[in-house]
Amino acid sequence: MDVRDKTILVTGAGRGIGRSLALHFARKGANLALMDTNREGVDETRAQCAEAGVTARSYVANAADEDRVIGALDEVTADFGRLDGLVNNAGIVRDALLVKVKDGQVVGKMTLADWQAVIDVNLTGVFLCAREAAERMIRLASRGVIVNISSISRAGNIGQTNYTAAKAGVAAMTVVWAKELARYGIRVGAVAPGFIRTPMVESMKPEALARMTAPIPLGRLGEPEEIAHAVGFIFENELFSGRCLEVDGGLRM
Ligand code: NAP
């Protein structure tokens, strides 16, 4: 897809990878619909996209709230008159061991609240946004592209039962939707980032960050722009569908 003058919706666009995605597409001439729960963040992203000379609008909505997602998608198609792309990027972490043991005693467990919060945003949110976007792309005969942000943690990462389950689900849904939506000319792909320098990662303690970086073969965190570049590749390459691109400096879980 040549993204010039197309309309692309990015969720979680208020900072981190989502902001880089928005700016990547803005610089290529796409108009941006930016969804986030953080009004200040998403308005800043909108302003930065506008500087690139494209139309950008903010939509403050929780990607896990069905009514808000339907409402926001209706607003996007009313505002832009089209929808050509969706990047399902909004995500959260609530890490904990399944069962935490200290000195032979069980001292903690992953709470149901932490399990559910991550499943709601990272799995149900992706489902809701993709469903509503696909419905509108089909109605508008858009032949669009949907890219879901998974994670290399989908293979199974210690402390991330909830996140791993959600991100494995995201990769699996990508395959289903690529098969179901191909007949409408819609391609669906996924990107699984390794560890990327964003507020989500930078909020970690320095020792934890150093422990995390040490096993990366390229010896560094990824940059958000490198993930945006990979998502841009999926948009541009008309043969790409149903696969998950790993962008991780060679790190394997
Ligand atoms: P981030 O810096 O924490 O930014 C996430 C953005 O999404 C924030 O603006 C956040 O708003 C927003 N958001 C959170 N929940 C939302 C919801 N329910 N509805 C709408 N917006 C919501 O995260 P990131 O590191 O850029 O990660 C982006 C994506 O990449 C996520 O799916 C993450 O799992 C994935 N990923 C990241 C890494 C990494 O190393 N950073 C690695 C693999 C995969 P608030 O400020 O209101 O929370």
Side-chain angles (χ1 to χ4, degrees):
M1 177 188 285
D2 176 355
V3 299
R4 253 175 313 169
D5 299 322
K6 302 290 196 311
T7 297
I8 300 175
L9 169 62
V10 178
T11 71
R15 65 180 193 191
I17 293 170
R19 177 171 291 168
S20 284
L21 284 162
L23 293 174
H24 174 91
F25 286 118
R27 289 184 193 116
K28 291 204 173 260
N31 298 315
L32 273 307
L34 307 165
M35 188 198 287
D36 205 286
T37 37
N38 184 326
R39 175 175 292 285
E40 213 176 301
V42 76
D43 282 346
E44 173 57 29
T45 305
R46 178 176 53 75
Q48 291 186 23
C49 289
E51 277 173 29
V54 300
T55 303
R57 292 176 186 273
S58 313
Y59 302 87
V60 177
N62 176 357
D65 179 329
E66 185 175 29
D67 290 341
R68 277 305 292 134
V69 170
I70 292 172
L73 267 288
D74 282 343
E75 285 174 46
V76 170
T77 47
D79 290 343
F80 290 90
R82 60 189 302 154
L83 181 63
D84 305 283
L86 163 68
V87 188
N88 258 318
N89 166 77
I92 60 169
V93 283
R94 297 281 187 277
D95 294 355
L97 292 170
L98 181 68
V99 179
K100 187 174 179 184
V101 178
K102 205 172 175 190
D103 302 328
Q105 302 293 318
V106 173
V107 295
K109 297 189 252 191
M110 177 175 280
T111 64
L112 182 58
D114 283 348
W115 162 266
Q116 199 60 55
V118 171
I119 295 297
D120 285 349
V121 178
N122 297 13
L123 187 64
T124 307
V126 171
F127 156 71
L128 289 173
C129 292
R131 187 190 68 185
E132 295 307 310
E135 180 187 354
R136 286 158 184 79
M137 285 175 184
I138 292 167
R139 272 209 236 116
L140 296 163
S142 291
R143 303 184 74 78
V145 178
I146 297 173
V147 178
N148 301 318
I149 304 299
S150 178
S151 164
I152 60 164
S153 293
R154 76 189 192 285
N157 195 23
I158 287 180
Q160 294 198 310
T161 297
N162 46 6
Y163 190 81
T164 293
K167 293 299 188 181
V170 163
M173 293 192 300
T174 300
V175 179
V176 176
W177 300 338
K179 291 176 180 173
E180 289 186 0
L181 300 175
R183 72 192 59 187
Y184 310 108
I186 299 170
R187 293 185 295 110
V188 187
V191 172
F195 294 123
I196 310 303
R197 190 191 310 280
T198 68
M200 187 191 261
V201 166
E202 283 182 322
S203 65
M204 294 173 74
K205 294 193 183 106
E207 318 84 76
L209 203 57
R211 248 197 333 271
M212 202 167 94
T213 312
I216 302 173
L218 286 185
R220 66 170 178 88
L221 296 175
E223 299 297 331
E225 295 73 24
E226 292 172 312
I227 301 308
H229 182 262
V231 173
F233 163 77
I234 295 177
F235 269 75
E236 283 171 29
N237 191 303
E238 300 285 348
L239 191 60
F240 195 101
S241 204
R243 298 284 172 186
C244 182
L245 200 57
E246 301 189 318
V247 185
D248 50 24
L251 181 65
R252 274 156 205 268
M253 290 285 165

